Amino acid sequence: MSDQPTFEEKLLSQEAKRRISEELDEVEQIDIDIKTDIGKLFQGQVDKVELAGQGLVIQDKIRVQDIKMQTDRISINPLSVIFGQLKLNEPVNSNFRIVLTEADINDALTSEMINRWVRQFKLNVDGEIVSFEPQEMQVFLPGDSKLEFKGKVWLKDKDNTHILGYHAIAHPRTQTKPPRLKSFHCTEGEGIRVELIAAAMQKIKEIINLPDWEWENMVFSIIDMEVKKGSLILILKAHIKQIPSMETILSPD
């Protein structure tokens, strides 16, 4: 059996590549390989989709150095393709390998998308809800399986606003070990209640230990993280209920 793509596979792959490239601000390279045949396609069946890309950028700040994705068999609505969309008849599972550089991560941390995401977290301090709003965030990737974080956050209760500077070191999740917060030091925040600092530390631990990340119609699970000097490699599994556009994935309302 020939490994050469059929006409319909080439056509679908080229169209998918064109659509995704149009939604990106920059792209160094992207390749898409769709496996199906004309009979399956009329029934809305695709055997497999593979994507490989380098230097993908959206919203000027969200950049991925390298990404590889592979899906299970996909069941789509054939009519949705005719009208320029792609709707799933049933959820699909995908595997991702993503490489982010230290510079990519720190640029992304200045985006409004990340700030909105962090602001959703609240602290519970003796029954009092305190908002958790980032002012500065930096990530360092020194290697040796360590993640280093420095920054400042506003802690706002009903009467006061406090600034908390922090320096934290964590070990990432791997296939054999859960993530661990190795150390946490306050670098700014004289006069802040001990209970407030303790609640902030607990919230950071909760964020680090989140097993799944929900985004739009997708649920991501972190399978493995490898920290090299200057870069972070993520191995993810995703359960996708419906396929959003790249713009929706990276900058939801």
Side-chain angles (χ1 to χ4, degrees), residues 223-244:
I223 304 303
D224 196 12
M225 298 175 69
E226 182 181 356
V227 182
K228 295 186 176 181
K229 186 174 177 58
S231 65
L232 176 65
I233 301 172
L234 299 172
I235 305 298
L236 309 173
K237 284 188 178 294
H239 183 71
I240 304 172
K241 299 176 183 177
Q242 199 54 256
I243 298 178

PDB file of all heavy atoms in Angstrom, residues 223-244:
ATOM      1  N   ILE A 223       0.944  15.710  30.773  1.00  0.00           N
ATOM      2  CA  ILE A 223       1.490  14.372  30.971  1.00  0.00           C
ATOM      3  C   ILE A 223       2.938  14.447  31.440  1.00  0.00           C
ATOM      4  O   ILE A 223       3.366  13.695  32.324  1.00  0.00           O
ATOM      5  CB  ILE A 223       1.404  13.561  29.669  1.00  0.00           C
ATOM      6  CG1 ILE A 223      -0.044  13.521  29.165  1.00  0.00           C
ATOM      7  CG2 ILE A 223       1.937  12.142  29.886  1.00  0.00           C
ATOM      8  CD1 ILE A 223      -1.035  12.960  30.156  1.00  0.00           C
ATOM      9  N   ASP A 224       3.688  15.381  30.875  1.00  0.00           N
ATOM     10  CA  ASP A 224       5.107  15.476  31.206  1.00  0.00           C
ATOM     11  C   ASP A 224       5.592  16.885  30.910  1.00  0.00           C
ATOM     12  O   ASP A 224       5.094  17.547  29.989  1.00  0.00           O
ATOM     13  CB  ASP A 224       5.911  14.454  30.391  1.00  0.00           C
ATOM     14  CG  ASP A 224       7.319  14.225  30.941  1.00  0.00           C
ATOM     15  OD1 ASP A 224       7.587  14.671  32.073  1.00  0.00           O
ATOM     16  OD2 ASP A 224       8.143  13.615  30.240  1.00  0.00           O
ATOM     17  N   MET A 225       6.550  17.352  31.704  1.00  0.00           N
ATOM     18  CA  MET A 225       7.203  18.629  31.475  1.00  0.00           C
ATOM     19  C   MET A 225       8.708  18.422  31.634  1.00  0.00           C
ATOM     20  O   MET A 225       9.150  17.817  32.602  1.00  0.00           O
ATOM     21  CB  MET A 225       6.724  19.691  32.474  1.00  0.00           C
ATOM     22  CG  MET A 225       5.251  20.005  32.404  1.00  0.00           C
ATOM     23  SD  MET A 225       4.713  21.161  33.716  1.00  0.00           S
ATOM     24  CE  MET A 225       5.516  22.669  33.178  1.00  0.00           C
ATOM     25  N   GLU A 226       9.457  18.930  30.669  1.00  0.00           N
ATOM     26  CA  GLU A 226      10.916  18.840  30.737  1.00  0.00           C
ATOM     27  C   GLU A 226      11.494  20.245  30.654  1.00  0.00           C
ATOM     28  O   GLU A 226      11.223  20.976  29.697  1.00  0.00           O
ATOM     29  CB  GLU A 226      11.462  17.973  29.600  1.00  0.00           C
ATOM     30  CG  GLU A 226      12.972  17.815  29.644  1.00  0.00           C
ATOM     31  CD  GLU A 226      13.514  16.970  28.500  1.00  0.00           C
ATOM     32  OE1 GLU A 226      12.703  16.445  27.710  1.00  0.00           O
ATOM     33  OE2 GLU A 226      14.754  16.846  28.398  1.00  0.00           O
ATOM     34  N   VAL A 227      12.248  20.617  31.675  1.00  0.00           N
ATOM     35  CA  VAL A 227      12.859  21.939  31.710  1.00  0.00           C
ATOM     36  C   VAL A 227      14.315  21.820  31.281  1.00  0.00           C
ATOM     37  O   VAL A 227      15.118  21.148  31.932  1.00  0.00           O
ATOM     38  CB  VAL A 227      12.785  22.565  33.116  1.00  0.00           C
ATOM     39  CG1 VAL A 227      13.383  23.972  33.090  1.00  0.00           C
ATOM     40  CG2 VAL A 227      11.351  22.616  33.609  1.00  0.00           C
ATOM     41  N   LYS A 228      14.628  22.455  30.158  1.00  0.00           N
ATOM     42  CA  LYS A 228      16.013  22.576  29.725  1.00  0.00           C
ATOM     43  C   LYS A 228      16.431  24.028  29.910  1.00  0.00           C
ATOM     44  O   LYS A 228      15.588  24.904  30.118  1.00  0.00           O
ATOM     45  CB  LYS A 228      16.149  22.156  28.264  1.00  0.00           C
ATOM     46  CG  LYS A 228      15.843  20.690  28.011  1.00  0.00           C
ATOM     47  CD  LYS A 228      16.131  20.303  26.574  1.00  0.00           C
ATOM     48  CE  LYS A 228      15.927  18.821  26.349  1.00  0.00           C
ATOM     49  NZ  LYS A 228      16.228  18.422  24.951  1.00  0.00           N
ATOM     50  N   LYS A 229      17.695  24.290  29.851  1.00  0.00           N
ATOM     51  CA  LYS A 229      18.153  25.670  30.020  1.00  0.00           C
ATOM     52  C   LYS A 229      17.601  26.520  28.884  1.00  0.00           C
ATOM     53  O   LYS A 229      17.924  26.332  27.716  1.00  0.00           O
ATOM     54  CB  LYS A 229      19.681  25.743  30.031  1.00  0.00           C
ATOM     55  CG  LYS A 229      20.222  27.137  30.345  1.00  0.00           C
ATOM     56  CD  LYS A 229      21.713  27.123  30.498  1.00  0.00           C
ATOM     57  CE  LYS A 229      22.261  28.528  30.736  1.00  0.00           C
ATOM     58  NZ  LYS A 229      21.668  29.165  31.927  1.00  0.00           N
ATOM     59  N   GLY A 230      16.708  27.433  29.237  1.00  0.00           N
ATOM     60  CA  GLY A 230      16.140  28.347  28.254  1.00  0.00           C
ATOM     61  C   GLY A 230      14.917  27.858  27.519  1.00  0.00           C
ATOM     62  O   GLY A 230      14.354  28.592  26.708  1.00  0.00           O
ATOM     63  N   SER A 231      14.448  26.616  27.789  1.00  0.00           N
ATOM     64  CA  SER A 231      13.271  26.130  27.073  1.00  0.00           C
ATOM     65  C   SER A 231      12.486  25.149  27.931  1.00  0.00           C
ATOM     66  O   SER A 231      13.023  24.502  28.828  1.00  0.00           O
ATOM     67  CB  SER A 231      13.657  25.466  25.748  1.00  0.00           C
ATOM     68  OG  SER A 231      14.408  24.295  25.963  1.00  0.00           O
ATOM     69  N   LEU A 232      11.195  25.054  27.628  1.00  0.00           N
ATOM     70  CA  LEU A 232      10.272  24.174  28.352  1.00  0.00           C
ATOM     71  C   LEU A 232       9.547  23.296  27.334  1.00  0.00           C
ATOM     72  O   LEU A 232       8.976  23.789  26.359  1.00  0.00           O
ATOM     73  CB  LEU A 232       9.256  25.010  29.134  1.00  0.00           C
ATOM     74  CG  LEU A 232       8.146  24.259  29.869  1.00  0.00           C
ATOM     75  CD1 LEU A 232       8.720  23.387  30.980  1.00  0.00           C
ATOM     76  CD2 LEU A 232       7.120  25.238  30.443  1.00  0.00           C
ATOM     77  N   ILE A 233       9.582  21.973  27.554  1.00  0.00           N
ATOM     78  CA  ILE A 233       8.905  21.024  26.674  1.00  0.00           C
ATOM     79  C   ILE A 233       7.693  20.466  27.406  1.00  0.00           C
ATOM     80  O   ILE A 233       7.815  19.941  28.513  1.00  0.00           O
ATOM     81  CB  ILE A 233       9.838  19.879  26.262  1.00  0.00           C
ATOM     82  CG1 ILE A 233      11.075  20.432  25.542  1.00  0.00           C
ATOM     83  CG2 ILE A 233       9.113  18.889  25.355  1.00  0.00           C
ATOM     84  CD1 ILE A 233      12.142  19.391  25.270  1.00  0.00           C
ATOM     85  N   LEU A 234       6.521  20.600  26.787  1.00  0.00           N
ATOM     86  CA  LEU A 234       5.268  20.121  27.371  1.00  0.00           C
ATOM     87  C   LEU A 234       4.726  18.967  26.549  1.00  0.00           C
ATOM     88  O   LEU A 234       4.638  19.061  25.311  1.00  0.00           O
ATOM     89  CB  LEU A 234       4.225  21.243  27.388  1.00  0.00           C
ATOM     90  CG  LEU A 234       4.540  22.503  28.192  1.00  0.00           C
ATOM     91  CD1 LEU A 234       3.486  23.564  27.916  1.00  0.00           C
ATOM     92  CD2 LEU A 234       4.606  22.199  29.666  1.00  0.00           C
ATOM     93  N   ILE A 235       4.346  17.893  27.222  1.00  0.00           N
ATOM     94  CA  ILE A 235       3.634  16.791  26.587  1.00  0.00           C
ATOM     95  C   ILE A 235       2.212  16.818  27.139  1.00  0.00           C
ATOM     96  O   ILE A 235       1.999  16.692  28.346  1.00  0.00           O
ATOM     97  CB  ILE A 235       4.293  15.426  26.883  1.00  0.00           C
ATOM     98  CG1 ILE A 235       5.773  15.456  26.482  1.00  0.00           C
ATOM     99  CG2 ILE A 235       3.552  14.315  26.150  1.00  0.00           C
ATOM    100  CD1 ILE A 235       6.030  15.705  25.014  1.00  0.00           C
ATOM    101  N   LEU A 236       1.241  17.018  26.263  1.00  0.00           N
ATOM    102  CA  LEU A 236      -0.145  17.206  26.675  1.00  0.00           C
ATOM    103  C   LEU A 236      -1.057  16.226  25.971  1.00  0.00           C
ATOM    104  O   LEU A 236      -0.783  15.792  24.847  1.00  0.00           O
ATOM    105  CB  LEU A 236      -0.632  18.627  26.336  1.00  0.00           C
ATOM    106  CG  LEU A 236       0.213  19.815  26.775  1.00  0.00           C
ATOM    107  CD1 LEU A 236      -0.358  21.095  26.177  1.00  0.00           C
ATOM    108  CD2 LEU A 236       0.253  19.918  28.283  1.00  0.00           C
ATOM    109  N   LYS A 237      -2.157  15.902  26.631  1.00  0.00           N
ATOM    110  CA  LYS A 237      -3.271  15.217  26.000  1.00  0.00           C
ATOM    111  C   LYS A 237      -4.463  16.167  26.058  1.00  0.00           C
ATOM    112  O   LYS A 237      -4.661  16.854  27.060  1.00  0.00           O
ATOM    113  CB  LYS A 237      -3.600  13.907  26.712  1.00  0.00           C
ATOM    114  CG  LYS A 237      -2.633  12.776  26.412  1.00  0.00           C
ATOM    115  CD  LYS A 237      -3.128  11.465  27.002  1.00  0.00           C
ATOM    116  CE  LYS A 237      -2.188  10.317  26.652  1.00  0.00           C
ATOM    117  NZ  LYS A 237      -2.177  10.021  25.209  1.00  0.00           N
ATOM    118  N   ALA A 238      -5.230  16.197  25.000  1.00  0.00           N
ATOM    119  CA  ALA A 238      -6.385  17.091  24.954  1.00  0.00           C
ATOM    120  C   ALA A 238      -7.631  16.324  24.551  1.00  0.00           C
ATOM    121  O   ALA A 238      -7.591  15.489  23.640  1.00  0.00           O
ATOM    122  CB  ALA A 238      -6.134  18.233  23.968  1.00  0.00           C
ATOM    123  N   HIS A 239      -8.717  16.606  25.242  1.00  0.00           N
ATOM    124  CA  HIS A 239     -10.040  16.075  24.892  1.00  0.00           C
ATOM    125  C   HIS A 239     -10.810  17.248  24.292  1.00  0.00           C
ATOM    126  O   HIS A 239     -11.137  18.214  24.996  1.00  0.00           O
ATOM    127  CB  HIS A 239     -10.747  15.527  26.130  1.00  0.00           C
ATOM    128  CG  HIS A 239     -12.074  14.906  25.845  1.00  0.00           C
ATOM    129  ND1 HIS A 239     -12.212  13.704  25.186  1.00  0.00           N
ATOM    130  CD2 HIS A 239     -13.342  15.333  26.126  1.00  0.00           C
ATOM    131  CE1 HIS A 239     -13.491  13.403  25.074  1.00  0.00           C
ATOM    132  NE2 HIS A 239     -14.192  14.374  25.631  1.00  0.00           N
ATOM    133  N   ILE A 240     -11.074  17.169  22.989  1.00  0.00           N
ATOM    134  CA  ILE A 240     -11.641  18.299  22.256  1.00  0.00           C
ATOM    135  C   ILE A 240     -13.098  17.996  21.905  1.00  0.00           C
ATOM    136  O   ILE A 240     -13.388  17.059  21.158  1.00  0.00           O
ATOM    137  CB  ILE A 240     -10.829  18.586  20.976  1.00  0.00           C
ATOM    138  CG1 ILE A 240      -9.355  18.834  21.341  1.00  0.00           C
ATOM    139  CG2 ILE A 240     -11.408  19.773  20.225  1.00  0.00           C
ATOM    140  CD1 ILE A 240      -8.443  18.938  20.144  1.00  0.00           C
ATOM    141  N   LYS A 241     -14.005  18.790  22.472  1.00  0.00           N
ATOM    142  CA  LYS A 241     -15.430  18.590  22.208  1.00  0.00           C
ATOM    143  C   LYS A 241     -15.850  19.232  20.896  1.00  0.00           C
ATOM    144  O   LYS A 241     -16.730  18.736  20.205  1.00  0.00           O
ATOM    145  CB  LYS A 241     -16.260  19.169  23.354  1.00  0.00           C
ATOM    146  CG  LYS A 241     -15.983  18.506  24.698  1.00  0.00           C
ATOM    147  CD  LYS A 241     -16.763  19.182  25.812  1.00  0.00           C
ATOM    148  CE  LYS A 241     -16.437  18.573  27.161  1.00  0.00           C
ATOM    149  NZ  LYS A 241     -17.145  19.277  28.270  1.00  0.00           N
ATOM    150  N   GLN A 242     -15.213  20.375  20.578  1.00  0.00           N
ATOM    151  CA  GLN A 242     -15.498  21.066  19.337  1.00  0.00           C
ATOM    152  C   GLN A 242     -14.251  21.847  18.950  1.00  0.00           C
ATOM    153  O   GLN A 242     -13.488  22.264  19.822  1.00  0.00           O
ATOM    154  CB  GLN A 242     -16.704  21.996  19.483  1.00  0.00           C
ATOM    155  CG  GLN A 242     -17.344  22.405  18.173  1.00  0.00           C
ATOM    156  CD  GLN A 242     -17.714  21.224  17.302  1.00  0.00           C
ATOM    157  OE1 GLN A 242     -17.025  20.929  16.323  1.00  0.00           O
ATOM    158  NE2 GLN A 242     -18.794  20.517  17.651  1.00  0.00           N
ATOM    159  N   ILE A 243     -14.038  22.037  17.671  1.00  0.00           N
ATOM    160  CA  ILE A 243     -12.816  22.684  17.200  1.00  0.00           C
ATOM    161  C   ILE A 243     -13.051  24.180  17.051  1.00  0.00           C
ATOM    162  O   ILE A 243     -13.829  24.609  16.179  1.00  0.00           O
ATOM    163  CB  ILE A 243     -12.355  22.095  15.854  1.00  0.00           C
ATOM    164  CG1 ILE A 243     -12.040  20.615  16.016  1.00  0.00           C
ATOM    165  CG2 ILE A 243     -11.135  22.841  15.331  1.00  0.00           C
ATOM    166  CD1 ILE A 243     -11.614  19.922  14.746  1.00  0.00           C
ATOM    167  N   PRO A 244     -12.385  24.993  17.894  1.00  0.00           N
ATOM    168  CA  PRO A 244     -12.469  26.441  17.728  1.00  0.00           C
ATOM    169  C   PRO A 244     -11.398  26.895  16.743  1.00  0.00           C
ATOM    170  O   PRO A 244     -10.540  26.120  16.332  1.00  0.00           O
ATOM    171  CB  PRO A 244     -12.163  26.961  19.130  1.00  0.00           C
ATOM    172  CG  PRO A 244     -11.218  25.936  19.669  1.00  0.00           C
ATOM    173  CD  PRO A 244     -11.598  24.608  19.065  1.00  0.00           C
TER     174      PRO A 244
END
